[in-house]
Amino acid sequence: MTEIHLDPLSPEWDCPLGSKDLEEEECPWGGGSGLPPPGCFPGSWRHDVGLDCKGSPEGAEAQAGTVYYYSLLQSCLQQAGLPETQDRSQVPRTGCPGAEVTLCILGSPSTFLSVLLEGGVQSPGNMLLCLSPAWLTKVPAPGQPGEAALLVSKAVSFHPGGLTFLDDFVPPRRATYFLAGLGLGSCWGREAAELARDLTCPTGASAELARLLEDRLLTRRLLAQQGGVVVPATLAFTYKPPVLLRGGDASQGLRLVELSGKEGQETLVKEEVGAFLLSEALGDALQVAVKLSGWRWRGRQALRLYPRAELGTVVDTVLALLEKLEEEESVLVEAVCPPARLPFPGSPPPGPELAVRICAVVCRTQGDRPLLSKVVCGVGRGDRPLRHQSSLPLTLEVALAQCGLGEAAQVAVVRRRVKAAAEAALAAVLALETGLSAEQRGGRRARTDFLGVDFALTVAGGALTPVALELNGCLCLEACGALEGLWAAPRRGPAAEAAASAPLVETMLRRSARCLMEGRQLLLIGAGGVSKKFVWEAARDYGLKLHLVESDPNHFASQLVQTFIHFDVTEHRRDEENARLLAELVRARGLQLDGCFSYWDDCLVLTALLCQELGLPCNPPAAMRLAKQKSRTQLHLLRRHGPPWPAPSLHAVPCCPLESEADVERAIRQVPLPGVMKLEFGAGAVGVRLVEDAPQCHEHFSRIARDLQGEADHPGIGLGWGNAMLLMEFVEGTEHDVDLVLFGGRLLAAFVSDNGPTRLPGFTETAACMPTGLAPEQEAQLVQAAFRCCLGCGLLDGVFNVELKLTRAGPRLIEINPRMGGFYLRDWILELYGVDLFLAAAMVACGLRPALPTHPRARGHLVGVMCLVSQHLQALSSTASRETLQGLHDRGLLRFNQLEEALVPGEYEEPYCSVACAGPSPAEARLRLLGLCQGLGIDGPQYPVAHFLSHFK
């Protein structure tokens, strides 16, 4: 065999004759450790831009690196059809250090372009690219010994539409998330590693974690043992292996030989290599590769391929490489996976056999769950290894079709196997990190947030199998960005490719929110019941310091907060006086609050009044009163005719307030029947009823006036405000919830769910589905209707739940709940979208813009049904007991949300619990739920679950 190529970066040493040497990796400009020659980027853009950072002078070599990366960014933008970066550095940007999201990346623009552009969409102006370490400064963090805050003095900021600006920041922005390019080809590897170490803000990479992932032997054993991922058959000779490689169970096809020394190993090496080359673990492989393993050798060696039959040559190469080993390094002999021979319809194509290399990017999402975000392939000759940047990026479908596999079902099978293997790989890495100390990870907040997994597609056991070759981040991310770039420039494709980095940016925002909120002091008004137990666990997880005002001196939450203030908040006609008294108590206790909020219906107006007293952010008390009283909400919006158009009046429903029997008679003449009669300040659909004629109106008014007179008759549904009622027109249509996040009068996020038909004449919720099954236009109509109604009532900041009906004439308002959605909604939105409404509400209460993705994507579907004590007492006491449902929840078979504590039936009841099933489609989730309900005894003639789920087909 002849020598083909030696990597210019490889160490100086002789290569045994007869091998085939192929460069394993490349630096971005094709070789050499210096910068590329001038003029390597064809294009026209301004060069007289302010790249110097005041107060941080750079040497000539560092300046050249900054200029190079700036030119590379302009070239990337140009090829993507995006405008040139505008220099705004002469007028420094001012901001709110410590109170705004700052996502900072230090690295190659070509590597991170996908992340940067997506960040500009999801968090405009907050995604920053630093082209030099001199643009960043670490400062000691007060009260956090050994840790430092990261300040950004200069950066390129990204905005929607691919707009970019070169900005100076005075004062510097404080990073809430940092991601450094630590891989091959980075000009700033050492500086980036030091900047990323021991930060107070979350980091998505560190030198310590990168070293672990760059050790092929370690990652292969990790993937094989912990993730069940197929890896190439490998024989490893390791010299004084690291602790993570010592001991442990053997993995199939992976043999580890620990060496006591590097010399005098000829006999052992010959025996081990001979046995390995003859072993069945190699399968149909005709060649083996010999390489060094360890972070020191990543991308700095030639790849040596040998026929499997050449024992002597392989042994000689291994012995030569052993001399180069340092402690914790290895020499690997691994099988070269033969390319899959795919059947071509008709005659096979001319030319050499083709091989497919699959690159998968997988991201860490909410709950540390891996999610495959993009698959990119390269196709090349089957007789030589495929490398990054040596082939054009292709979709999996196109790549397999070029190799002869075009059937959609078979392609789907390959995609599922790649997805399972890639997600298992990241899960194994995350599990490994969990067991590492902060020092081993490179900092308390260092985590791996995304991973690139390179696969070879081969045949194993008669099936097409992706075999994991190596883990990397930047190269796979760059490949995905290159594929997305095919559709980026104008007139090149029917639609934009979904960004591979979208889940990564969502994780950046989620971790930034935690960073901004950790240690914040919040006053919570009203603890709520069992349905709000999640609050205390979430507050501990986010590092919030909660102080609680609660009427019940024995409430379980009194032991879970920093400060407990026992105060009767149930008499809401004294809210103004109570707000002044509470403000005095807060001042007397010396509480230094960042915010004050409530998720409990009864306490919303009191909370607004108290915020006003304490000078804390909140909606005006008048707006909260308006939204709290249902008839006032509708009548106010009916008068809001605009402009702008469409006006809120289009969504309001005629109604009439009721305080006496005389009011009932008057309302009957004003509101068309059938109508809906409900409590003015009620909650949970308690006391809501369909009335079809005048006698039913009078009868229901009298019954409520008799049965529900005060808070003691039914705590927690607003009777502290009195038991006034209203009659409103009954609106035909499907019912929906819209949960909104608003800040400064701007809509940041909206989540729409569908409700099933109720059991008339009552309106207690029966079933729900999320995300909505409506057409996009109808969903948008609901979101805009909910948004306009909130603005129309003066609700500009907060998390709100708006109930609407979608009629043939458009959305109609049922009511506005000026707080976080109740029942299961927070849990479902967190599960499907990774967005926590509780955290968003807490951020707004502190005057901080919630760190939310602009267009959150659902990760599946949930369909649920409510259980009522009046209908399910027997099942809830036996086959569907709380313990049984919780056990099924813990096993991932359903989602269980307990809403009430006691199994006590009553005429005016609220749902006891919600039971839901997940699925990749609404139909599959619905079928799973129906089967479970039948098995648990929840479904029955008096409670036909199939009927309640009929809207979700």
Side-chain angles (χ1 to χ4, degrees), residues 15 54 214 260 300 311 418 531 579 733 763:
C15 175
K54 296 179 179 66
E214 288 172 358
S260 57
R300 303 184 68 85
L311 171 62
V418 170
S531 66
F763 287 89

Side-chain angles (χ1 to χ4, degrees), residues 33 47 60 84 122 198 215 281 344 477 483 539 586 622 684 699 738 870:
S33 58
H47 296 275
E84 177 182 346
Q122 292 202 35
D198 294 322
D215 187 327
F344 240 98
L477 192 63
L483 180 64
V586 167
E699 179 187 355
V738 182
S870 63

Side-chain angles (χ1 to χ4, degrees), residues 326-348:
E326 293 183 2
E327 291 185 9
E328 301 188 350
E329 295 180 343
S330 307
V331 176
L332 306 184
V333 182
E334 65 178 54
V336 176
C337 300
R341 292 176 172 82
L342 302 177
F344 240 98
S347 58

Side-chain angles (χ1 to χ4, degrees), residues 514-527:
R514 286 173 170 268
C515 178
L516 287 171
M517 290 300 291
E518 185 177 29
R520 299 277 178 175
Q521 307 274 342
L522 287 122
L523 184 64
L524 184 58
I525 312 300

Side-chain angles (χ1 to χ4, degrees), residues 322-393:
L322 285 180
E323 298 177 7
K324 305 298 178 183
L325 287 187
E326 293 183 2
E327 291 185 9
E328 301 188 350
E329 295 180 343
S330 307
V331 176
L332 306 184
V333 182
E334 65 178 54
V336 176
C337 300
R341 292 176 172 82
L342 302 177
F344 240 98
S347 58
E353 189 176 34
L354 296 180
V356 179
R357 179 158 174 156
I358 299 173
C359 169
V361 170
V362 58
C363 301
R364 183 166 72 95
T365 63
Q366 170 67 31
D368 290 342
R369 285 176 292 190
L371 176 70
L372 178 72
S373 62
K374 180 78 75 174
V375 175
V376 178
C377 298
V379 174
R381 293 171 60 111
D383 58 353
R384 61 185 62 176
L386 280 170
R387 295 180 290 111
H388 280 281
Q389 303 172 339
S390 66
S391 60
L392 293 175

Side-chain angles (χ1 to χ4, degrees), residues 376-703:
V376 178
C377 298
V379 174
R381 293 171 60 111
D383 58 353
R384 61 185 62 176
L386 280 170
R387 295 180 290 111
H388 280 281
Q389 303 172 339
S390 66
S391 60
L392 293 175
L394 305 171
T395 63
L396 180 65
E397 290 75 11
V398 170
L400 293 180
Q402 288 187 3
C403 295
L405 189 69
E407 187 177 336
Q410 293 177 312
V411 174
V413 169
V414 174
R415 181 175 290 277
R416 283 197 299 270
R417 290 173 181 164
V418 170
K419 174 180 171 66
E423 292 179 350
L426 180 55
V429 169
L430 297 181
L432 171 68
E433 292 180 5
T434 301
L436 300 178
S437 66
E439 183 180 2
Q440 289 173 314
R441 292 199 309 271
R444 180 170 56 96
R445 296 179 181 273
R447 296 287 188 277
T448 296
D449 283 336
F450 77 101
L451 197 65
V453 189
D454 280 319
F455 296 98
L457 187 63
T458 189
V459 175
L464 283 173
T465 303
V467 178
L469 301 176
E470 63 178 342
L471 304 182
N472 70 71
C474 294
L475 288 172
C476 282
L477 192 63
E478 187 170 31
C480 291
L483 180 64
E484 292 163 12
L486 293 175
W487 313 112
R491 299 179 299 277
R492 287 194 189 170
E497 273 280 307
S501 53
L504 173 58
V505 174
E506 292 176 14
T507 296
M508 290 177 167
L509 290 170
R510 191 178 303 113
R511 296 187 68 191
S512 288
R514 286 173 170 268
C515 178
L516 287 171
M517 290 300 291
E518 185 177 29
R520 299 277 178 175
Q521 307 274 342
L522 287 122
L523 184 64
L524 184 58
I525 312 300
V530 66
S531 66
K532 298 298 186 290
K533 277 188 174 181
F534 67 82
V535 166
W536 320 110
E537 181 179 345
R540 183 173 62 253
D541 183 37
Y542 294 132
L544 305 180
K545 309 297 184 183
L546 292 187
H547 309 272
L548 175 63
V549 175
E550 168 59 37
S551 303
D552 179 5
N554 299 314
H555 197 286
F556 70 87
S558 64
Q559 306 300 313
L560 304 175
V561 293
Q562 304 292 309
T563 306
F564 179 72
I565 301 176
H566 174 228
F567 192 95
D568 184 6
V569 296
T570 58
E571 183 48 69
H572 299 293
R573 283 166 283 206
R574 299 177 57 187
D575 275 349
E576 288 85 355
E577 178 186 351
N578 287 340
R580 289 191 293 271
L581 293 174
L582 278 172
E584 292 175 7
L585 285 173
V586 167
R587 295 187 188 103
R589 293 187 180 227
L591 300 183
Q592 301 297 314
L593 299 175
D594 296 295
C596 172
F597 74 120
S598 179
Y599 46 72
W600 201 241
D601 277 291
D602 285 8
C603 301
L604 299 174
V605 174
L606 173 62
T607 300
L609 290 164
L610 179 57
C611 286
Q612 193 175 62
E613 288 284 336
L614 296 172
L616 294 171
C618 192
N619 289 291
M624 299 301 280
R625 283 196 180 97
L626 185 61
K628 178 62 185 167
Q629 188 170 354
K630 296 175 175 59
S631 65
R632 284 190 63 195
T633 305
Q634 299 283 4
L635 295 174
H636 173 79
L637 293 176
L638 281 170
R639 294 190 290 269
R640 295 296 300 270
H641 297 293
W645 184 86
S649 58
L650 292 174
H651 310 300
V653 177
C655 66
C656 189
L658 309 174
E659 294 188 6
S660 65
E661 288 284 354
D663 291 335
V664 175
E665 196 61 42
R666 175 174 52 84
I668 292 170
R669 294 193 295 270
Q670 294 181 6
V671 177
L673 297 180
V676 177
M677 193 174 285
K678 60 171 74 174
L679 287 164
E680 275 278 24
F681 304 97
V686 174
V688 183
R689 188 175 182 85
L690 180 70
V691 288
E692 301 191 23
D693 51 35
Q696 287 187 9
C697 292
H698 285 286
E699 179 187 355
H700 189 57
F701 181 84
S702 300
R703 184 186 303 114

Side-chain angles (χ1 to χ4, degrees), residues 732-785:
E732 293 280 1
T734 55
E735 188 171 337
H736 307 270
D737 278 62
V738 182
D739 289 273
L740 304 172
V741 182
L742 273 63
F743 188 77
R746 296 188 178 277
L747 178 64
L748 302 187
F751 307 93
V752 181
S753 55
D754 305 335
N755 291 338
T758 61
R759 301 168 63 235
L760 296 175
F763 287 89
T764 302
E765 185 174 320
T766 59
C769 176
M770 182 181 280
T772 178
L774 295 172
E777 181 179 341
Q778 293 174 309
E779 179 183 12
Q781 287 179 351
L782 285 170
V783 169
Q784 286 302 310

